[in-house]
Amino acid sequence: MEQRTNVTEFVLLGLTQSLQGQKILFVVFLLIYIVTMVDNLLIVVTVMVSPTLGAPMYVFLGYLSFMDAVYSTTITPNMIIDLVHEKKTISFQACMSQLFIEHLFGGAEILLLVVMAYDRYVAICKPLHYLTIMNQRVCILLLLLAWVGGFLHALVQLLLALNLPFCGPNVIDHFVCDMYPLLRLACIDTYIIGITVVANNGGICVVIFVLLLISYGVILHSLKKLSQEGKRKALSTCGSHITVVVLFFVPCIFIYVRPPSTLPIDKSLAVFYTVITPMLNPLIYTLRNGEMKIAMKKLWSRKRK
C-alpha cells in the first residue's frame, strides 16, 4: 500500500488540448447531456405512471432508461466541467469510485439487454405462455440478476485497480478513469492483470453479443408463423433492440477485445458508448414504439391541463 500513496490524484488530458475545441465540445456535450437526462427520465416517469405500460417489456425499458441516466451522469458532468478547467484533476478515491460506478451500470445494462432479448423471445415465440413465464416474480429475479452481475463485474475491476501500485506518473490520456489507461501508469508488469481485464470486459462483451445475435436470429426466423400485423410489430420492436445492442457492443468490443493498450481512436469510441448511446437509446425505442408515444402524449396532455 505504501507504493500507492505516491499518487493521490490523477490528471486527465481529456479529449483535446485546443481551447477553441474545448469550448465547442463544452456546448455540444452540455446539450447532449440535457437531452439524455430529459429523454431517459421522461421514459422512466411515463412507464411508472402509465397503466397501459405495465407489460414486462416496458418495465425493462424503464430500467434501461434509468441505467442510461445514471451511467451518463457518472461520466458526462465531470467531462463537461473539465472542459472549462485548465487543470483537469481527479482524486484517487474519486477515480476508483467512477471506475466502479461506470462498470456497475455498464455491466448491469449489458445483462439487462440479455433480459430484454429473452422477454422478446418469449413474447414472439411463445405468446400463449408469455404471461405465465414472464410473471412478476420472474421479472424481479431477472432484474436482480442483472444488478448482481453488474456488481460482480464492477467489483473485479475495482479490486484489480486498487491492487495496482502507482509510483509517480499520474497523467491519464483520457477523459475518464478506466482500466487500460490506469494499467499504463502502474509500475509493475501488468500482463496477467491485463489478461484478466480482457477476459472480464472483452470476453463478456463478445460472448453476450454473440448470444444476443443468435437469440434475435431465432426470433426473426420464427416470424413466419405470425400474421402480417404481428410481423410488423415484432420487426419494429426487435429492430430497435438490435440497433441498441449494436451501438453499445461494437465500440466496447473494439476497445476491450485486444491486448491491453490505448489507441488514439479509443477516446472517440468511449465518447460514443458513454455519451452518445445513452442519448440515442430512448429516441430509438420511443420513435419505433407506438404505445410508448401514445402514453407520452397522454402524460404530456395531462400535465398541461
Side-chain angles (χ1 to χ4, degrees):
M1 293 296 290
E2 289 183 4
Q3 282 182 302
R4 287 185 208 102
T5 58
N6 291 338
V7 172
T8 58
E9 66 177 16
F10 295 102
V11 178
L12 300 171
L13 292 184
L15 290 170
T16 178
Q17 300 302 304
S18 165
L19 292 178
Q20 186 65 27
Q22 289 177 5
K23 291 177 182 177
I24 294 172
L25 289 176
F26 172 81
V27 175
V28 171
F29 288 136
L30 180 60
L31 291 174
I32 289 174
Y33 181 65
I34 292 171
V35 172
T36 299
M37 295 305 293
V38 170
D39 285 353
N40 281 294
L41 293 180
L42 180 59
I43 288 181
V44 172
V45 172
T46 302
V47 171
M48 288 177 64
V49 303
S50 300
T52 58
L53 301 180
M57 178 179 77
Y58 297 108
V59 174
F60 296 145
L61 178 56
Y63 271 93
L64 179 67
S65 293
F66 170 72
M67 289 179 181
D68 276 335
V70 178
Y71 184 67
S72 181
T73 300
T74 305
I75 297 166
T76 310
N78 288 337
M79 183 172 64
I80 292 171
I81 293 170
D82 285 344
L83 286 169
V84 295
H85 283 177
E86 186 176 346
K87 191 176 182 183
K88 306 162 178 56
T89 59
I90 184 170
S91 68
F92 182 87
Q93 291 79 10
C95 180
M96 295 299 109
S97 298
Q98 187 182 65
L99 177 73
F100 179 78
I101 297 172
E102 172 194 350
H103 283 274
L104 168 64
F105 282 89
E109 183 166 329
I110 285 174
L111 294 174
L112 181 59
L113 291 174
V114 177
V115 170
M116 293 173 76
Y118 176 69
D119 173 69
R120 290 302 84 205
Y121 167 78
V122 176
I124 294 170
C125 299
K126 300 183 179 180
L128 297 178
H129 304 286
Y130 178 71
L131 294 178
T132 304
I133 296 174
M134 297 300 295
N135 57 59
Q136 187 179 24
R137 182 179 176 183
V138 170
C139 291
I140 292 173
L141 179 61
L142 291 173
L143 288 171
L144 185 61
L145 287 174
W147 282 113
V148 171
F151 175 79
L152 293 175
H153 165 71
L155 185 62
V156 171
Q157 297 287 107
L158 180 63
L159 293 176
L160 290 173
L162 288 175
N163 281 283
L164 290 174
F166 301 105
C167 309
N170 68 336
V171 178
I172 298 177
D173 187 13
H174 214 295
F175 61 87
V176 65
C177 283
D178 204 4
M179 282 304 298
Y180 282 2
L182 289 174
L183 287 175
R184 292 189 66 184
L185 301 181
C187 51
I188 58 168
D189 182 0
T190 59
Y191 178 78
I192 300 299
I193 296 176
I195 295 300
T196 307
V197 172
V198 170
N200 188 41
N201 291 327
I204 291 174
C205 281
V206 169
V207 170
I208 292 180
F209 184 58
V210 171
L211 289 174
L212 286 171
L213 291 181
I214 292 172
S215 67
Y216 282 116
V218 172
I219 292 172
L220 293 175
H221 178 71
S222 67
L223 292 183
K224 58 185 179 182
K225 302 175 185 177
L226 302 179
S227 64
Q228 286 299 115
E229 180 64 18
K231 285 181 182 179
R232 188 190 64 79
K233 283 189 175 182
L235 282 172
S236 177
T237 303
C238 289
S240 60
H241 284 219
I242 293 170
T243 302
V244 169
V245 166
V246 171
L247 288 175
F248 192 89
F249 278 90
V250 171
C252 290
I253 289 173
F254 182 86
I255 289 176
Y256 290 114
V257 185
R258 66 170 194 250
S261 61
T262 55
L263 300 175
I265 197 175
D266 285 355
K267 287 195 278 189
S268 299
L269 289 173
V271 166
F272 192 81
Y273 73 79
T274 59
V275 179
I276 306 299
T277 300
M279 178 190 69
L280 293 178
N281 283 355
L283 296 176
I284 292 168
Y285 280 113
T286 53
L287 289 175
R288 297 180 67 93
N289 192 299
E291 290 184 42
M292 179 62 73
K293 285 190 283 188
I294 292 170
M296 283 185 170
K297 287 177 182 176
K298 287 182 178 179
L299 178 66
W300 181 253
S301 60
R302 192 189 310 170
K303 284 188 175 182
R304 292 182 68 180
K305 291 177 183 179

